[in-house]
Amino acid sequence: KKLDAKSLENEARKLAARSLTVLHPESTKRLIWDVCGLFVLMIELIWLPMQAFDRLEGTTGAEVINWTTLIYWTGDIVLSCSTGYYTVGGLVMRRRTILLRYLKTWFFFD
């Protein structure tokens, strides 16, 4: 049975849905995580300059913001190592391949 590109994509989505360790790059979970990342980034853009001038340092709100952003960005590293990606050849969902690509590209910046 010959599969066209659409059928292959559907099969890849089904495989990703069964896998608990690798997310499809277009999954709803990944989209929600990325939208949350935009909010965390906006908080960071406001918060970092305030930290530079010692505003609100040592308050409960400051601690909550610091821990929340730290947990988010740490989780983002883990999630980036667990999310498939597209290449010219198609969708890559193999954990080892994903991890190696991440280490070669974004790991240094994260």
Side-chain angles (χ1 to χ4, degrees), residues 5 11 14 18 22 26 29 38 51-52 63 92 101 103:
E11 290 300 317
K14 288 178 188 175
R18 281 186 255 138
V22 178
E26 296 176 10
K29 290 177 186 177
L38 290 174
Q51 282 183 321
E63 289 298 315
V92 176
R101 179 177 184 251
L103 291 174

Side-chain angles (χ1 to χ4, degrees), residues 16-103:
R18 281 186 255 138
S19 173
L20 297 176
T21 58
V22 178
L23 283 175
H24 192 281
E26 296 176 10
S27 70
T28 303
K29 290 177 186 177
R30 184 62 201 199
L31 176 65
I32 291 169
W33 183 262
D34 290 340
V35 169
C36 289
L38 290 174
F39 288 111
V40 171
L41 187 59
M42 286 189 286
I43 290 169
E44 291 272 46
L45 289 172
I46 295 167
W47 188 249
L48 287 175
M50 291 176 74
Q51 282 183 321
F53 297 106
D54 290 332
R55 304 251 178 191
L56 304 173
E57 198 63 34
T59 63
T60 304
E63 289 298 315
V64 168
I65 289 173
N66 286 335
W67 278 104
T68 302
T69 57
L70 176 67
I71 290 168
Y72 177 83
W73 294 122
T74 303
D76 191 56
I77 290 172
V78 172
L79 202 59
S80 293
C81 293
S82 302
T83 303
Y85 64 93
Y86 289 102
T87 65
V88 176
L91 179 63
V92 176
M93 296 294 286
R94 294 185 62 213
R95 179 179 271 302
R96 180 175 170 83
T97 307
I98 294 167
L99 180 60
L100 290 173
R101 179 177 184 251
Y102 177 72
L103 291 174

